[in-house]
Amino acid sequence: MLEETPPLLLPEEAIAFFRAKGIAFGFDWRDVWQEEHAKAFTVAKAMSRDLLEDIRQAVDDALVNGTTLATFREQLTPLLMARGWWGRSLETDPLTGEQRVVQLGSPARLRTIFDTNLRSAYAAGRWERIQRQKRVFPFLIYESVKDGRERPEHGAWHKTILPVDDPWWDTHYPPCGWNCRCTARPANQRMLDRRGEKVTDQPVRFPQKDYVNRRTGEITRTERGIDPGFSFNVGKAYLDPLSPKPMPGQPGEGDATAAADLSADAEKVLKRLLRPFELEAGEIQRGKIWRDATGWPFAIGAGLFRSPRGDLQLPNRSQLRRYELGLAALARPDTIRLVWVRDKTGRMMLMRRYLAGTVAFDIGRAGWRTTPLRSAGGGKIVWQR
């Protein structure tokens, strides 16, 4: 019997997304723009790593422990005050050189930091689950809170029902603005029939306008009801950091490429490594859900080669062929096994092992690695060509 209620989001999914972010400094909230927020943690005017790490740790604790806003404020406020990051202060804008009186820490700012980061992390976690379940739950239902405090546009989008892969979700997957409380709920045809609901022929549309980011010069065309900086699908953008990371002993540190950028040389190497997965334009950096021969899903993209800090770790010239063969084995294996391996601490880890050619590719929650085929025996065969 087909399941009637989609499984609940596991907190670990949202936590994994948040912890995979790098660090970015921005004096103005527009300095880190759109999808860049999915790659890096930032707080406007928090211009030192120690300060950002304090705030980041508090958000992490809130995700892990289900901390309330009141507790979040209570724990973080004295830390920010001790660092002198509280109240109004005369600061120099590094972009313009202008000195301005700006707001640093405050109860209102802590609420925004808490709300935006938690909602985005859970939305990204849901999207990963939505992608894995879309063969069973192929539709999404836009749901607004409808308590009289919602934006009129969000209220008009309430009960919009479209396929998961409809491009409307590229710009309308919640959150769609500051303090947006909307969600997107998975559904299947049986659920819609039972409730007398139908797929939407044409979503309600509102006028669009161009928004110019005066900090970066970027022009974004945004529909009314979607705040500037929110006109993207946080779940799709989050696929990059969702990718398993290189395990110790895998590719060495590259050029510390920022999480939001790819140099021409880095993109050339990544295209070569990821060729077996046939990524479309933009998917190398953004990532996409790819399924192996058994249907097991992975996020494939540049995120496979990012360190926990968000820097690229690309193989050097002597390593390149080894990893190229390993990824080819992942894409087109001769055999897939489940194997238990021991990490450097002695902890046992269950991994999926893909064997083809002369290299085996191991991948699991702890990350991924390549292994010479001669030392990659054992385990339980779960698929064979």
PDB file of all heavy atoms in Angstrom, residues 8-42:
ATOM      1  N   LEU A   8       8.834  12.245   8.033  1.00  0.00           N
ATOM      2  CA  LEU A   8       9.254  13.538   8.554  1.00  0.00           C
ATOM      3  C   LEU A   8      10.723  13.782   8.270  1.00  0.00           C
ATOM      4  O   LEU A   8      11.515  12.859   8.134  1.00  0.00           O
ATOM      5  CB  LEU A   8       9.018  13.587  10.079  1.00  0.00           C
ATOM      6  CG  LEU A   8       7.565  13.507  10.529  1.00  0.00           C
ATOM      7  CD1 LEU A   8       7.512  13.436  12.046  1.00  0.00           C
ATOM      8  CD2 LEU A   8       6.764  14.695  10.032  1.00  0.00           C
ATOM      9  N   LEU A   9      11.088  15.059   8.182  1.00  0.00           N
ATOM     10  CA  LEU A   9      12.480  15.451   7.986  1.00  0.00           C
ATOM     11  C   LEU A   9      13.315  15.060   9.189  1.00  0.00           C
ATOM     12  O   LEU A   9      12.954  15.329  10.327  1.00  0.00           O
ATOM     13  CB  LEU A   9      12.564  16.969   7.794  1.00  0.00           C
ATOM     14  CG  LEU A   9      13.968  17.572   7.834  1.00  0.00           C
ATOM     15  CD1 LEU A   9      14.724  17.199   6.580  1.00  0.00           C
ATOM     16  CD2 LEU A   9      13.893  19.073   7.990  1.00  0.00           C
ATOM     17  N   LEU A  10      14.413  14.376   8.961  1.00  0.00           N
ATOM     18  CA  LEU A  10      15.345  14.084  10.041  1.00  0.00           C
ATOM     19  C   LEU A  10      16.172  15.330  10.333  1.00  0.00           C
ATOM     20  O   LEU A  10      16.678  15.969   9.416  1.00  0.00           O
ATOM     21  CB  LEU A  10      16.269  12.935   9.629  1.00  0.00           C
ATOM     22  CG  LEU A  10      15.611  11.570   9.426  1.00  0.00           C
ATOM     23  CD1 LEU A  10      16.644  10.589   8.914  1.00  0.00           C
ATOM     24  CD2 LEU A  10      14.996  11.080  10.708  1.00  0.00           C
ATOM     25  N   PRO A  11      16.336  15.724  11.588  1.00  0.00           N
ATOM     26  CA  PRO A  11      17.131  16.912  11.905  1.00  0.00           C
ATOM     27  C   PRO A  11      18.532  16.827  11.334  1.00  0.00           C
ATOM     28  O   PRO A  11      19.123  17.845  10.984  1.00  0.00           O
ATOM     29  CB  PRO A  11      17.140  16.920  13.439  1.00  0.00           C
ATOM     30  CG  PRO A  11      15.929  16.153  13.843  1.00  0.00           C
ATOM     31  CD  PRO A  11      15.749  15.115  12.781  1.00  0.00           C
ATOM     32  N   GLU A  12      19.084  15.621  11.217  1.00  0.00           N
ATOM     33  CA  GLU A  12      20.457  15.472  10.724  1.00  0.00           C
ATOM     34  C   GLU A  12      20.622  16.046   9.325  1.00  0.00           C
ATOM     35  O   GLU A  12      21.700  16.512   8.962  1.00  0.00           O
ATOM     36  CB  GLU A  12      20.858  13.990  10.720  1.00  0.00           C
ATOM     37  CG  GLU A  12      21.139  13.412  12.100  1.00  0.00           C
ATOM     38  CD  GLU A  12      19.874  13.079  12.874  1.00  0.00           C
ATOM     39  OE1 GLU A  12      18.770  13.194  12.288  1.00  0.00           O
ATOM     40  OE2 GLU A  12      19.983  12.711  14.053  1.00  0.00           O
ATOM     41  N   GLU A  13      19.570  16.030   8.524  1.00  0.00           N
ATOM     42  CA  GLU A  13      19.680  16.556   7.164  1.00  0.00           C
ATOM     43  C   GLU A  13      19.911  18.063   7.195  1.00  0.00           C
ATOM     44  O   GLU A  13      20.768  18.587   6.480  1.00  0.00           O
ATOM     45  CB  GLU A  13      18.423  16.213   6.373  1.00  0.00           C
ATOM     46  CG  GLU A  13      18.293  14.715   6.096  1.00  0.00           C
ATOM     47  CD  GLU A  13      16.969  14.359   5.454  1.00  0.00           C
ATOM     48  OE1 GLU A  13      15.922  14.729   6.029  1.00  0.00           O
ATOM     49  OE2 GLU A  13      16.978  13.708   4.404  1.00  0.00           O
ATOM     50  N   ALA A  14      19.136  18.770   8.014  1.00  0.00           N
ATOM     51  CA  ALA A  14      19.315  20.218   8.127  1.00  0.00           C
ATOM     52  C   ALA A  14      20.670  20.550   8.752  1.00  0.00           C
ATOM     53  O   ALA A  14      21.355  21.494   8.328  1.00  0.00           O
ATOM     54  CB  ALA A  14      18.189  20.818   8.969  1.00  0.00           C
ATOM     55  N   ILE A  15      21.072  19.760   9.745  1.00  0.00           N
ATOM     56  CA  ILE A  15      22.364  19.997  10.402  1.00  0.00           C
ATOM     57  C   ILE A  15      23.509  19.804   9.414  1.00  0.00           C
ATOM     58  O   ILE A  15      24.459  20.596   9.369  1.00  0.00           O
ATOM     59  CB  ILE A  15      22.522  19.054  11.608  1.00  0.00           C
ATOM     60  CG1 ILE A  15      21.486  19.398  12.684  1.00  0.00           C
ATOM     61  CG2 ILE A  15      23.935  19.133  12.187  1.00  0.00           C
ATOM     62  CD1 ILE A  15      21.334  18.328  13.758  1.00  0.00           C
ATOM     63  N   ALA A  16      23.423  18.752   8.594  1.00  0.00           N
ATOM     64  CA  ALA A  16      24.482  18.485   7.618  1.00  0.00           C
ATOM     65  C   ALA A  16      24.599  19.637   6.628  1.00  0.00           C
ATOM     66  O   ALA A  16      25.709  20.043   6.267  1.00  0.00           O
ATOM     67  CB  ALA A  16      24.200  17.177   6.886  1.00  0.00           C
ATOM     68  N   PHE A  17      23.484  20.165   6.165  1.00  0.00           N
ATOM     69  CA  PHE A  17      23.511  21.295   5.253  1.00  0.00           C
ATOM     70  C   PHE A  17      24.211  22.491   5.898  1.00  0.00           C
ATOM     71  O   PHE A  17      25.080  23.123   5.306  1.00  0.00           O
ATOM     72  CB  PHE A  17      22.091  21.690   4.859  1.00  0.00           C
ATOM     73  CG  PHE A  17      21.504  20.837   3.784  1.00  0.00           C
ATOM     74  CD1 PHE A  17      20.368  20.094   4.030  1.00  0.00           C
ATOM     75  CD2 PHE A  17      22.068  20.783   2.519  1.00  0.00           C
ATOM     76  CE1 PHE A  17      19.805  19.309   3.043  1.00  0.00           C
ATOM     77  CE2 PHE A  17      21.517  20.001   1.523  1.00  0.00           C
ATOM     78  CZ  PHE A  17      20.384  19.260   1.783  1.00  0.00           C
ATOM     79  N   PHE A  18      23.806  22.798   7.129  1.00  0.00           N
ATOM     80  CA  PHE A  18      24.358  23.985   7.788  1.00  0.00           C
ATOM     81  C   PHE A  18      25.849  23.829   8.036  1.00  0.00           C
ATOM     82  O   PHE A  18      26.631  24.766   7.817  1.00  0.00           O
ATOM     83  CB  PHE A  18      23.621  24.231   9.100  1.00  0.00           C
ATOM     84  CG  PHE A  18      24.068  25.485   9.801  1.00  0.00           C
ATOM     85  CD1 PHE A  18      23.687  26.731   9.335  1.00  0.00           C
ATOM     86  CD2 PHE A  18      24.896  25.420  10.916  1.00  0.00           C
ATOM     87  CE1 PHE A  18      24.115  27.892   9.962  1.00  0.00           C
ATOM     88  CE2 PHE A  18      25.330  26.571  11.546  1.00  0.00           C
ATOM     89  CZ  PHE A  18      24.926  27.812  11.066  1.00  0.00           C
ATOM     90  N   ARG A  19      26.277  22.663   8.482  1.00  0.00           N
ATOM     91  CA  ARG A  19      27.683  22.466   8.815  1.00  0.00           C
ATOM     92  C   ARG A  19      28.581  22.426   7.582  1.00  0.00           C
ATOM     93  O   ARG A  19      29.800  22.607   7.693  1.00  0.00           O
ATOM     94  CB  ARG A  19      27.840  21.176   9.626  1.00  0.00           C
ATOM     95  CG  ARG A  19      27.289  21.309  11.027  1.00  0.00           C
ATOM     96  CD  ARG A  19      27.461  20.035  11.839  1.00  0.00           C
ATOM     97  NE  ARG A  19      27.047  20.234  13.224  1.00  0.00           N
ATOM     98  CZ  ARG A  19      26.977  19.278  14.136  1.00  0.00           C
ATOM     99  NH1 ARG A  19      27.309  18.030  13.811  1.00  0.00           N
ATOM    100  NH2 ARG A  19      26.594  19.546  15.365  1.00  0.00           N
ATOM    101  N   ALA A  20      27.995  22.169   6.422  1.00  0.00           N
ATOM    102  CA  ALA A  20      28.794  22.123   5.196  1.00  0.00           C
ATOM    103  C   ALA A  20      29.099  23.514   4.647  1.00  0.00           C
ATOM    104  O   ALA A  20      29.891  23.657   3.727  1.00  0.00           O
ATOM    105  CB  ALA A  20      28.069  21.306   4.134  1.00  0.00           C
ATOM    106  N   LYS A  21      28.493  24.550   5.219  1.00  0.00           N
ATOM    107  CA  LYS A  21      28.726  25.902   4.712  1.00  0.00           C
ATOM    108  C   LYS A  21      30.134  26.386   5.025  1.00  0.00           C
ATOM    109  O   LYS A  21      30.704  26.047   6.067  1.00  0.00           O
ATOM    110  CB  LYS A  21      27.734  26.882   5.349  1.00  0.00           C
ATOM    111  CG  LYS A  21      26.322  26.818   4.814  1.00  0.00           C
ATOM    112  CD  LYS A  21      25.511  27.965   5.391  1.00  0.00           C
ATOM    113  CE  LYS A  21      24.124  28.048   4.807  1.00  0.00           C
ATOM    114  NZ  LYS A  21      23.419  29.266   5.236  1.00  0.00           N
ATOM    115  N   GLY A  22      30.662  27.192   4.113  1.00  0.00           N
ATOM    116  CA  GLY A  22      31.898  27.891   4.392  1.00  0.00           C
ATOM    117  C   GLY A  22      31.605  29.169   5.171  1.00  0.00           C
ATOM    118  O   GLY A  22      30.511  29.364   5.699  1.00  0.00           O
ATOM    119  N   ILE A  23      32.600  30.053   5.230  1.00  0.00           N
ATOM    120  CA  ILE A  23      32.472  31.344   5.918  1.00  0.00           C
ATOM    121  C   ILE A  23      32.634  32.453   4.888  1.00  0.00           C
ATOM    122  O   ILE A  23      33.517  32.389   4.026  1.00  0.00           O
ATOM    123  CB  ILE A  23      33.549  31.503   7.014  1.00  0.00           C
ATOM    124  CG1 ILE A  23      33.248  30.570   8.188  1.00  0.00           C
ATOM    125  CG2 ILE A  23      33.657  32.941   7.494  1.00  0.00           C
ATOM    126  CD1 ILE A  23      32.098  31.008   9.057  1.00  0.00           C
ATOM    127  N   ALA A  24      31.789  33.472   4.948  1.00  0.00           N
ATOM    128  CA  ALA A  24      31.920  34.629   4.059  1.00  0.00           C
ATOM    129  C   ALA A  24      31.720  35.901   4.874  1.00  0.00           C
ATOM    130  O   ALA A  24      30.842  35.958   5.752  1.00  0.00           O
ATOM    131  CB  ALA A  24      30.908  34.563   2.922  1.00  0.00           C
ATOM    132  N   PHE A  25      32.523  36.911   4.588  1.00  0.00           N
ATOM    133  CA  PHE A  25      32.416  38.192   5.282  1.00  0.00           C
ATOM    134  C   PHE A  25      31.702  39.197   4.394  1.00  0.00           C
ATOM    135  O   PHE A  25      31.982  39.289   3.192  1.00  0.00           O
ATOM    136  CB  PHE A  25      33.805  38.727   5.653  1.00  0.00           C
ATOM    137  CG  PHE A  25      34.575  37.813   6.560  1.00  0.00           C
ATOM    138  CD1 PHE A  25      35.601  37.027   6.064  1.00  0.00           C
ATOM    139  CD2 PHE A  25      34.261  37.719   7.901  1.00  0.00           C
ATOM    140  CE1 PHE A  25      36.306  36.173   6.882  1.00  0.00           C
ATOM    141  CE2 PHE A  25      34.951  36.862   8.733  1.00  0.00           C
ATOM    142  CZ  PHE A  25      35.981  36.085   8.226  1.00  0.00           C
ATOM    143  N   GLY A  26      30.773  39.923   4.987  1.00  0.00           N
ATOM    144  CA  GLY A  26      30.045  40.958   4.249  1.00  0.00           C
ATOM    145  C   GLY A  26      29.669  42.096   5.178  1.00  0.00           C
ATOM    146  O   GLY A  26      29.128  41.855   6.263  1.00  0.00           O
ATOM    147  N   PHE A  27      29.955  43.303   4.759  1.00  0.00           N
ATOM    148  CA  PHE A  27      29.592  44.467   5.570  1.00  0.00           C
ATOM    149  C   PHE A  27      28.105  44.760   5.435  1.00  0.00           C
ATOM    150  O   PHE A  27      27.453  45.199   6.375  1.00  0.00           O
ATOM    151  CB  PHE A  27      30.416  45.679   5.136  1.00  0.00           C
ATOM    152  CG  PHE A  27      30.234  46.888   6.007  1.00  0.00           C
ATOM    153  CD1 PHE A  27      30.893  46.995   7.228  1.00  0.00           C
ATOM    154  CD2 PHE A  27      29.393  47.920   5.619  1.00  0.00           C
ATOM    155  CE1 PHE A  27      30.723  48.106   8.042  1.00  0.00           C
ATOM    156  CE2 PHE A  27      29.213  49.042   6.431  1.00  0.00           C
ATOM    157  CZ  PHE A  27      29.876  49.137   7.642  1.00  0.00           C
ATOM    158  N   ASP A  28      27.581  44.525   4.257  1.00  0.00           N
ATOM    159  CA  ASP A  28      26.178  44.771   3.943  1.00  0.00           C
ATOM    160  C   ASP A  28      25.512  43.434   3.611  1.00  0.00           C
ATOM    161  O   ASP A  28      26.158  42.539   3.077  1.00  0.00           O
ATOM    162  CB  ASP A  28      26.078  45.730   2.741  1.00  0.00           C
ATOM    163  CG  ASP A  28      24.662  46.198   2.462  1.00  0.00           C
ATOM    164  OD1 ASP A  28      23.888  45.398   1.893  1.00  0.00           O
ATOM    165  OD2 ASP A  28      24.331  47.350   2.784  1.00  0.00           O
ATOM    166  N   TRP A  29      24.229  43.298   3.917  1.00  0.00           N
ATOM    167  CA  TRP A  29      23.547  42.022   3.661  1.00  0.00           C
ATOM    168  C   TRP A  29      23.545  41.672   2.182  1.00  0.00           C
ATOM    169  O   TRP A  29      23.415  40.510   1.807  1.00  0.00           O
ATOM    170  CB  TRP A  29      22.113  42.046   4.201  1.00  0.00           C
ATOM    171  CG  TRP A  29      21.169  42.969   3.471  1.00  0.00           C
ATOM    172  CD1 TRP A  29      20.960  44.284   3.721  1.00  0.00           C
ATOM    173  CD2 TRP A  29      20.296  42.632   2.386  1.00  0.00           C
ATOM    174  NE1 TRP A  29      20.026  44.807   2.856  1.00  0.00           N
ATOM    175  CE2 TRP A  29      19.602  43.812   2.026  1.00  0.00           C
ATOM    176  CE3 TRP A  29      20.039  41.462   1.674  1.00  0.00           C
ATOM    177  CZ2 TRP A  29      18.665  43.850   0.990  1.00  0.00           C
ATOM    178  CZ3 TRP A  29      19.101  41.501   0.640  1.00  0.00           C
ATOM    179  CH2 TRP A  29      18.432  42.680   0.314  1.00  0.00           C
ATOM    180  N   ARG A  30      23.744  42.659   1.311  1.00  0.00           N
ATOM    181  CA  ARG A  30      23.748  42.405  -0.135  1.00  0.00           C
ATOM    182  C   ARG A  30      25.118  41.987  -0.649  1.00  0.00           C
ATOM    183  O   ARG A  30      25.255  41.626  -1.826  1.00  0.00           O
ATOM    184  CB  ARG A  30      23.281  43.652  -0.880  1.00  0.00           C
ATOM    185  CG  ARG A  30      21.844  44.059  -0.572  1.00  0.00           C
ATOM    186  CD  ARG A  30      21.544  45.459  -1.045  1.00  0.00           C
ATOM    187  NE  ARG A  30      22.337  46.453  -0.302  1.00  0.00           N
ATOM    188  CZ  ARG A  30      22.250  47.765  -0.491  1.00  0.00           C
ATOM    189  NH1 ARG A  30      21.419  48.243  -1.405  1.00  0.00           N
ATOM    190  NH2 ARG A  30      22.992  48.589   0.223  1.00  0.00           N
ATOM    191  N   ASP A  31      26.149  42.011   0.204  1.00  0.00           N
ATOM    192  CA  ASP A  31      27.485  41.617  -0.257  1.00  0.00           C
ATOM    193  C   ASP A  31      27.559  40.124  -0.563  1.00  0.00           C
ATOM    194  O   ASP A  31      28.329  39.688  -1.426  1.00  0.00           O
ATOM    195  CB  ASP A  31      28.542  41.967   0.808  1.00  0.00           C
ATOM    196  CG  ASP A  31      28.749  43.471   0.942  1.00  0.00           C
ATOM    197  OD1 ASP A  31      28.351  44.204   0.010  1.00  0.00           O
ATOM    198  OD2 ASP A  31      29.300  43.907   1.968  1.00  0.00           O
ATOM    199  N   VAL A  32      26.823  39.321   0.175  1.00  0.00           N
ATOM    200  CA  VAL A  32      26.698  37.887  -0.090  1.00  0.00           C
ATOM    201  C   VAL A  32      25.289  37.692  -0.623  1.00  0.00           C
ATOM    202  O   VAL A  32      24.315  37.918   0.098  1.00  0.00           O
ATOM    203  CB  VAL A  32      26.939  37.052   1.180  1.00  0.00           C
ATOM    204  CG1 VAL A  32      26.833  35.566   0.877  1.00  0.00           C
ATOM    205  CG2 VAL A  32      28.309  37.379   1.776  1.00  0.00           C
ATOM    206  N   TRP A  33      25.155  37.263  -1.885  1.00  0.00           N
ATOM    207  CA  TRP A  33      23.892  37.438  -2.609  1.00  0.00           C
ATOM    208  C   TRP A  33      23.292  36.115  -3.064  1.00  0.00           C
ATOM    209  O   TRP A  33      24.002  35.219  -3.535  1.00  0.00           O
ATOM    210  CB  TRP A  33      24.140  38.346  -3.812  1.00  0.00           C
ATOM    211  CG  TRP A  33      22.916  38.796  -4.547  1.00  0.00           C
ATOM    212  CD1 TRP A  33      22.603  38.547  -5.852  1.00  0.00           C
ATOM    213  CD2 TRP A  33      21.845  39.592  -4.032  1.00  0.00           C
ATOM    214  NE1 TRP A  33      21.414  39.134  -6.178  1.00  0.00           N
ATOM    215  CE2 TRP A  33      20.917  39.786  -5.076  1.00  0.00           C
ATOM    216  CE3 TRP A  33      21.568  40.155  -2.780  1.00  0.00           C
ATOM    217  CZ2 TRP A  33      19.748  40.511  -4.916  1.00  0.00           C
ATOM    218  CZ3 TRP A  33      20.400  40.877  -2.610  1.00  0.00           C
ATOM    219  CH2 TRP A  33      19.511  41.056  -3.679  1.00  0.00           C
ATOM    220  N   GLN A  34      21.979  36.005  -2.928  1.00  0.00           N
ATOM    221  CA  GLN A  34      21.208  34.889  -3.447  1.00  0.00           C
ATOM    222  C   GLN A  34      21.809  33.534  -3.065  1.00  0.00           C
ATOM    223  O   GLN A  34      21.976  33.247  -1.887  1.00  0.00           O
ATOM    224  CB  GLN A  34      21.062  35.027  -4.975  1.00  0.00           C
ATOM    225  CG  GLN A  34      20.194  36.206  -5.413  1.00  0.00           C
ATOM    226  CD  GLN A  34      18.792  35.811  -5.788  1.00  0.00           C
ATOM    227  OE1 GLN A  34      17.838  36.197  -5.124  1.00  0.00           O
ATOM    228  NE2 GLN A  34      18.623  35.049  -6.833  1.00  0.00           N
ATOM    229  N   GLU A  35      22.179  32.707  -4.085  1.00  0.00           N
ATOM    230  CA  GLU A  35      22.657  31.353  -3.843  1.00  0.00           C
ATOM    231  C   GLU A  35      23.926  31.297  -3.000  1.00  0.00           C
ATOM    232  O   GLU A  35      24.243  30.260  -2.416  1.00  0.00           O
ATOM    233  CB  GLU A  35      22.906  30.627  -5.168  1.00  0.00           C
ATOM    234  CG  GLU A  35      21.645  30.239  -5.911  1.00  0.00           C
ATOM    235  CD  GLU A  35      21.198  31.306  -6.893  1.00  0.00           C
ATOM    236  OE1 GLU A  35      21.649  32.480  -6.753  1.00  0.00           O
ATOM    237  OE2 GLU A  35      20.413  30.984  -7.792  1.00  0.00           O
ATOM    238  N   GLU A  36      24.675  32.409  -2.946  1.00  0.00           N
ATOM    239  CA  GLU A  36      25.897  32.424  -2.148  1.00  0.00           C
ATOM    240  C   GLU A  36      25.597  32.133  -0.678  1.00  0.00           C
ATOM    241  O   GLU A  36      26.433  31.587   0.039  1.00  0.00           O
ATOM    242  CB  GLU A  36      26.615  33.761  -2.286  1.00  0.00           C
ATOM    243  CG  GLU A  36      27.151  34.025  -3.680  1.00  0.00           C
ATOM    244  CD  GLU A  36      27.734  35.417  -3.841  1.00  0.00           C
ATOM    245  OE1 GLU A  36      27.641  36.217  -2.889  1.00  0.00           O
ATOM    246  OE2 GLU A  36      28.272  35.690  -4.918  1.00  0.00           O
ATOM    247  N   HIS A  37      24.399  32.498  -0.214  1.00  0.00           N
ATOM    248  CA  HIS A  37      24.025  32.220   1.171  1.00  0.00           C
ATOM    249  C   HIS A  37      23.906  30.713   1.427  1.00  0.00           C
ATOM    250  O   HIS A  37      24.045  30.276   2.566  1.00  0.00           O
ATOM    251  CB  HIS A  37      22.687  32.896   1.498  1.00  0.00           C
ATOM    252  CG  HIS A  37      22.816  34.363   1.744  1.00  0.00           C
ATOM    253  ND1 HIS A  37      23.213  34.881   2.951  1.00  0.00           N
ATOM    254  CD2 HIS A  37      22.620  35.433   0.932  1.00  0.00           C
ATOM    255  CE1 HIS A  37      23.245  36.194   2.882  1.00  0.00           C
ATOM    256  NE2 HIS A  37      22.895  36.555   1.666  1.00  0.00           N
ATOM    257  N   ALA A  38      23.637  29.951   0.375  1.00  0.00           N
ATOM    258  CA  ALA A  38      23.545  28.502   0.537  1.00  0.00           C
ATOM    259  C   ALA A  38      24.913  27.857   0.645  1.00  0.00           C
ATOM    260  O   ALA A  38      25.039  26.721   1.097  1.00  0.00           O
ATOM    261  CB  ALA A  38      22.787  27.899  -0.643  1.00  0.00           C
ATOM    262  N   LYS A  39      25.954  28.567   0.237  1.00  0.00           N
ATOM    263  CA  LYS A  39      27.312  28.024   0.252  1.00  0.00           C
ATOM    264  C   LYS A  39      28.114  28.492   1.455  1.00  0.00           C
ATOM    265  O   LYS A  39      29.095  27.862   1.824  1.00  0.00           O
ATOM    266  CB  LYS A  39      28.065  28.440  -1.021  1.00  0.00           C
ATOM    267  CG  LYS A  39      27.356  28.142  -2.327  1.00  0.00           C
ATOM    268  CD  LYS A  39      27.277  26.669  -2.606  1.00  0.00           C
ATOM    269  CE  LYS A  39      26.964  26.376  -4.062  1.00  0.00           C
ATOM    270  NZ  LYS A  39      25.764  27.002  -4.578  1.00  0.00           N
ATOM    271  N   ALA A  40      27.742  29.624   2.037  1.00  0.00           N
ATOM    272  CA  ALA A  40      28.578  30.208   3.086  1.00  0.00           C
ATOM    273  C   ALA A  40      27.715  30.856   4.165  1.00  0.00           C
ATOM    274  O   ALA A  40      26.677  31.457   3.880  1.00  0.00           O
ATOM    275  CB  ALA A  40      29.533  31.234   2.491  1.00  0.00           C
ATOM    276  N   PHE A  41      28.163  30.739   5.413  1.00  0.00           N
ATOM    277  CA  PHE A  41      27.505  31.394   6.544  1.00  0.00           C
ATOM    278  C   PHE A  41      28.041  32.814   6.650  1.00  0.00           C
ATOM    279  O   PHE A  41      29.257  33.044   6.610  1.00  0.00           O
ATOM    280  CB  PHE A  41      27.793  30.639   7.839  1.00  0.00           C
ATOM    281  CG  PHE A  41      27.189  31.274   9.058  1.00  0.00           C
ATOM    282  CD1 PHE A  41      25.828  31.189   9.294  1.00  0.00           C
ATOM    283  CD2 PHE A  41      27.976  31.977   9.957  1.00  0.00           C
ATOM    284  CE1 PHE A  41      25.248  31.774  10.411  1.00  0.00           C
ATOM    285  CE2 PHE A  41      27.416  32.566  11.079  1.00  0.00           C
ATOM    286  CZ  PHE A  41      26.048  32.464  11.303  1.00  0.00           C
ATOM    287  N   THR A  42      27.153  33.773   6.799  1.00  0.00           N
ATOM    288  CA  THR A  42      27.562  35.166   6.891  1.00  0.00           C
ATOM    289  C   THR A  42      26.592  35.932   7.770  1.00  0.00           C
ATOM    290  O   THR A  42      25.413  35.569   7.875  1.00  0.00           O
ATOM    291  CB  THR A  42      27.623  35.814   5.489  1.00  0.00           C
ATOM    292  OG1 THR A  42      28.165  37.131   5.580  1.00  0.00           O
ATOM    293  CG2 THR A  42      26.244  35.892   4.851  1.00  0.00           C
TER     294      THR A  42
END
